[in-house]
Amino acid sequence: MNIKTQSFTFIIFIFVGILIGIVFDIFRIIRRSFKTPDFITYIEDILFWIISGALLLFCIFTFNNGELRLYLFVSIILGNLIYIFTLSKYFIKVNTYLINILKKILYYFYSIIKKIYNPPVRFLKNIKINLTKNMKKTIKNIQNLNIRKKV
């Protein structure tokens, strides 16, 4: 490989490092925005490593014919560090803010639907409760009548 091709590959893998940082931050944003149990966190971690590994393998085979070179890993680490120290903080803040706004909008619509849905449900439950009470009374009265007839 000539120096031009290696330089191009170096720059590409800097972007791969940045992309891996973005994927990592997406998982961090999800954890900040939603409460998840430890089990889900473990699954997210495994998913991150699968995505990162697949991305690396794809890029290594696509841009470097499957050859592993030290400068590839140096460029990935450099790209990741560039992202972490420049864009990561803003990426997390903006996306966390957007997700919180989206959660508020969804909660607002949920509360409207709940207000529309709850009165008919309560009405039907009251009807069911009253019917059940009346049926029990009726059954008791019938049983009492049968007992009186036998005596």
Side-chain angles (χ1 to χ4, degrees):
M1 269 198 256
N2 62 21
I3 193 76
K4 186 177 177 182
T5 306
Q6 288 178 345
S7 300
F8 177 72
T9 305
F10 188 82
I11 291 170
I12 294 242
F13 279 88
I14 286 176
F15 285 112
V16 170
I18 291 171
L19 190 57
I20 289 172
I22 290 171
V23 170
F24 182 72
D25 278 350
I26 288 170
F27 284 102
R28 287 172 60 189
I29 291 165
I30 290 170
R31 287 182 187 161
R32 282 188 182 180
S33 300
F34 305 101
K35 303 266 185 221
T36 56
D38 288 342
F39 178 72
I40 300 297
T41 302
Y42 299 140
I43 291 173
E44 289 172 348
D45 288 343
I46 292 168
L47 191 60
F48 166 74
W49 286 110
I50 290 172
I51 291 169
S52 298
L55 177 66
L56 280 174
L57 284 173
F58 173 78
C59 290
I60 288 170
F61 279 101
T62 302
F63 299 108
N64 209 36
N65 298 322
E67 296 178 14
L68 292 177
R69 301 278 186 231
L70 179 62
Y71 72 90
L72 295 180
F73 296 103
V74 170
S75 61
I76 292 168
I77 291 169
L78 180 64
N80 201 277
L81 290 174
I82 288 170
Y83 172 76
I84 288 171
F85 290 117
T86 57
L87 300 174
S88 178
K89 182 170 76 171
Y90 303 109
F91 184 81
I92 291 173
K93 279 184 182 180
V94 167
N95 285 299
T96 303
Y97 178 74
L98 291 174
I99 287 176
N100 286 334
I101 287 174
L102 183 64
K103 282 170 55 177
K104 287 178 184 177
I105 291 170
L106 290 174
Y107 182 76
Y108 174 74
F109 285 117
Y110 171 76
S111 65
I112 289 173
I113 290 170
K114 192 175 176 182
K115 286 178 184 176
I116 293 170
Y117 176 75
N118 273 346
V121 168
R122 261 190 251 125
F123 176 73
L124 292 173
K125 281 184 181 178
N126 286 337
I127 288 176
K128 179 185 170 196
I129 290 170
N130 287 334
L131 282 175
T132 305
K133 285 180 183 177
N134 288 334
M135 288 298 289
K136 286 181 181 180
K137 284 182 184 178
T138 305
I139 289 171
K140 268 191 175 180
N141 287 338
I142 290 173
Q143 287 174 343
N144 287 337
L145 282 175
N146 284 338
I147 291 175
R148 286 183 193 158
K149 283 183 180 180
K150 289 181 181 178
V151 174

